[in-house]
Amino acid sequence: EPRERLSVCSKLCYAVGGAPYQITGCALGFFLQIYLLDVAQLDPFSASIILFVGRAWDAVTDPMVGFFISKTTWTRFGRLMPWIIFSTPFAVISYFLIWFVPDISRGQVMWYLVFYCIFQTLVTCFHVPYSALTMFISREQSERDSATAYRMTVEVLGTVLGTAIQGQIVGKVITPCIENPRFVGMTNSSVAMEELNMTHDTGSLTDTRNAYMIAAGVIGGLYVLCALILSVGVREKRESSELQSDEPGSFFQGLKLVMNHGAYIKLIAGFLFTSLAFMLLEGNFALFCTYTLGFRNEFQNILLAIMLSATLTIPLWQWFLTRFGKKTAVYVGISSAVPFLILVAVLDSNLIVTYVVAVAAGISVAAAFLLPWSMLPDVVDDFKLQHPESHGHEAIFFSFYVFFTKFASGVSLGVSTLSLDFAGYQTRGCSQPSKVNVTLKMLVSAVPVGLILLGLLLFKLYPIDEEKRRKNKKALQDLREESNSSSSESDNTELASIV
């Protein structure tokens, strides 16, 4: 049987579709917490509610969308592509409104919570079908792996764009801070002094708010452009994933089968904690750079160094997993972040050292981006060999993996913001109490290191090594050939009966 190859153009168009999720996710992940605290001027408790509920709702929407996708019939555009096309314009509008400060004295918390949840729902309607599209672009595992490498490169480039656009536009405007936050709540004269400072800084704060909206407009334009390229340049192949029948099985029956598949549960367990470590680092890194390290006007450039390093090393990890296997790449790639996370918290504040650590940490970030999405198709193939009669469950695999990581991320961000509240975080303060700085060090160093080590320990249980993967590939190919042969004999019998 001739090998089914994807053109470079098809792989690039497919890869571009991964950028919107990463661009918006990176901007929200790195900047939303500091935006809510220092620009929208919400108290830490309210910010924690928004971050937790938004992420938790985002997690719930993934299996919901996966369910509705499994019930979607094929159209001339495909089964997945219509979801991507129709969700895009509404997602862009809701994203812009997240970065808008409404002129209302009450209800700001509800404003951000509602539009954050709406955006997360719509971006899920884009990303879940896009993730499942991996199984419908080719039946060749090597071609899917290659397309995934293209996708991960573009997605990490998307995080660079999200960091660069949001960081550089916002970074050009100096966000005003309040001197001597220890005065807050002590005396009436102190309160008057704080109000005087806030009045003095109103103009600059308006400039900061405008900068966030400009960045949101640019990112929204890129979102639309990437969705257009994906819809025009990629053809969803109906026969690429399913072996015999195109009729999908029951969602709940499929969910039960998927959740009882050992390889999938073990893969989720391993990557749940490692992904959580990087999400926790992402959510608190801006505050850590601003207050603990004292690099208020440099943190956007430090973030950019991390993401550029990650982008450039994606091809290295693709070669590494091909040469040494995916499990080995997990251990080497993700564990390499541990010494640098410890180093950045232990050493005194030093800009040069921070940049060196940022570049080194980006190498590990690239591995964390590439490996989960490269290994999920292997689990799907393993499932098909064990359940050859069950079809159409690809969206369940991808949506529930995202569900668990997002829900855990919501819990972690909510807890971390509450921890800052308990430590005495001062909104718009030029400096923070020592307890806040200690808390930030824990949130970007000690806790992520512990989560990474736990995830790697659990990953020892994952059963699909390179030998198992090769056997699965051969068995799946034999099953397809047998299916095609049976289909051909059936067609000949039907033709004979007609004659």
Side-chain angles (χ1 to χ4, degrees):
E1 182 177 325
R3 185 179 176 187
E4 179 187 7
R5 289 188 175 275
L6 291 173
S7 67
V8 173
C9 181
S10 295
K11 292 177 183 178
L12 285 173
C13 290
Y14 165 74
V16 164
Y21 181 79
Q22 296 300 337
I23 293 174
T24 56
C26 183
L28 290 168
F30 280 124
F31 293 91
L32 183 59
Q33 187 181 42
I34 197 170
Y35 168 81
L36 293 175
L37 293 173
D38 289 355
V39 180
Q41 300 183 64
L42 301 180
D43 61 271
F45 178 77
S46 298
S48 69
I49 295 297
I50 293 170
L51 293 172
F52 168 70
V53 174
R55 287 277 190 164
W57 174 251
D58 185 21
V60 171
T61 59
D62 284 285
M64 288 172 55
V65 172
F67 169 77
F68 288 119
I69 288 174
S70 69
K71 296 299 182 182
T72 303
T73 58
W74 281 86
T75 68
R76 63 191 185 96
F77 299 107
R79 185 154 67 109
L80 305 173
M81 202 64 74
W83 286 83
I84 295 171
I85 295 171
F86 291 115
S87 66
T88 294
F90 302 103
V92 170
I93 294 171
S94 59
Y95 177 78
F96 180 82
L97 292 175
I98 292 174
W99 302 104
F100 175 75
V101 180
D103 188 17
I104 52 179
S105 57
R106 295 182 179 180
Q108 277 194 335
V109 175
M110 188 57 63
W111 172 280
Y112 291 113
L113 184 59
V114 167
F115 284 110
Y116 189 31
C117 290
I118 290 175
F119 171 73
Q120 297 290 14
T121 303
L122 292 167
V123 81
T124 298
C125 292
F126 183 104
H127 191 63
V128 169
Y130 172 74
S131 299
L133 190 62
T134 308
M135 304 302 298
F136 291 89
I137 57 176
S138 174
R139 69 175 60 186
E140 289 284 343
Q141 178 62 50
S142 58
E143 291 299 297
R144 296 202 302 254
D145 281 346
S146 177
T148 299
Y150 276 81
R151 170 190 166 187
M152 290 302 106
T153 302
V154 173
E155 286 199 4
V156 178
L157 182 60
T159 65
V160 173
L161 284 174
T163 305
I165 293 169
Q166 190 86 5
Q168 298 304 315
I169 292 177
V170 172
K172 290 184 181 299
V173 180
I174 299 176
T175 302
C177 61
I178 302 169
E179 296 289 349
N180 300 321
R182 65 182 181 276
F183 291 151
V184 176
M186 291 179 59
T187 64
N188 291 334
S189 60
S190 301
V191 174
M193 181 182 296
E194 181 191 355
E195 291 176 350
L196 178 63
N197 286 334
M198 293 178 67
T199 304
H200 176 72
D201 291 330
T202 300
S204 297
L205 191 57
T206 301
D207 293 339
T208 303
R209 292 173 176 175
N210 291 337
Y212 272 100
M213 286 190 289
I214 292 171
V218 174
I219 289 175
L222 287 175
Y223 192 118
V224 173
L225 178 62
C226 292
L228 183 63
I229 293 173
L230 173 66
S231 60
V232 172
V234 175
R235 184 171 66 90
E236 187 179 344
K237 299 177 182 178
R238 192 171 186 175
E239 299 292 341
S240 290
S241 176
E242 293 153 352
L243 294 174
Q244 297 176 16
S245 171
D246 289 327
E247 187 66 29
S250 165
F251 174 82
F252 294 104
Q253 180 184 2
L255 179 60
K256 182 179 179 181
L257 290 173
V258 168
M259 289 305 163
N260 286 328
H261 189 60
Y264 181 62
I265 296 301
K266 291 166 185 174
L267 183 72
I268 285 179
F271 278 122
L272 175 63
F273 291 99
T274 56
S275 300
L276 184 55
F278 287 101
M279 289 178 182
L280 195 61
L281 177 66
E282 176 188 68
N284 294 280
F285 195 74
L287 292 172
F288 177 73
C289 288
T290 300
Y291 295 112
T292 305
L293 298 182
F295 304 139
R296 176 177 291 272
N297 298 323
E298 286 288 335
F299 78 86
Q300 67 270 13
N301 297 323
I302 297 171
L303 294 178
L304 191 58
I306 294 175
M307 294 307 167
L308 282 173
S309 172
T311 303
L312 295 175
T313 50
I314 281 284
L316 169 66
W317 287 117
Q318 176 63 19
W319 169 83
F320 190 94
L321 68 86
T322 304
R323 178 70 177 81
F324 299 101
K326 297 179 182 180
K327 285 190 72 171
T328 304
V330 168
Y331 294 126
V332 175
I334 296 180
S335 63
S336 64
V338 172
F340 300 108
L341 292 176
I342 296 174
L343 189 65
V344 75
V346 171
L347 293 180
D348 293 333
S349 178
N350 184 295
L351 187 59
I352 296 176
V353 172
T354 303
Y355 272 108
V356 172
V357 170
V359 172
I363 299 173
S364 185
V365 171
F369 263 86
L370 174 65
L371 291 167
W373 299 110
S374 179
M375 298 171 78
L376 269 173
D378 297 339
V379 174
V380 177
D381 286 343
D382 187 67
F383 175 84
K384 287 177 182 176
L385 287 175
Q386 295 187 27
H387 305 279
E389 75 288 346
S390 188
H391 311 291
H393 303 312
E394 292 82 5
I396 298 177
F397 279 95
F398 288 90
S399 62
F400 271 87
Y401 168 73
V402 178
F403 165 78
F404 287 116
T405 54
K406 285 182 178 178
F407 188 81
S409 171
V411 173
S412 70
L413 283 176
V415 170
S416 66
T417 311
L418 278 177
S419 300
L420 294 175
D421 190 21
F422 294 144
Y425 181 87
Q426 302 291 339
T427 301
R428 291 184 61 200
C430 293
S431 60
Q432 297 293 339
S434 59
K435 287 184 179 180
V436 172
N437 292 327
V438 171
T439 302
L440 286 170
K441 282 187 177 182
M442 294 290 291
L443 292 173
V444 302
S445 179
V447 178
V449 167
L451 291 170
I452 287 174
L453 295 178
L454 180 58
L456 294 178
L457 184 63
L458 290 171
F459 199 77
K460 292 281 289 183
L461 303 173
Y462 179 66
I464 303 179
D465 54 15
E466 285 305 296
E467 182 180 358
K468 173 74 170 175
R469 193 172 72 87
R470 284 193 292 268
K471 288 181 179 179
N472 283 353
K473 180 180 179 182
K474 178 66 169 61
L476 202 60
Q477 184 65 32
D478 293 342
L479 195 59
R480 285 197 178 102
E481 291 175 356
E482 180 182 345
S483 174
N484 291 336
S485 175
S486 300
S487 177
S488 177
E489 291 177 3
S490 176
D491 289 345
N492 290 336
T493 303
E494 183 179 355
L495 179 60
S497 66
I498 293 174
V499 172

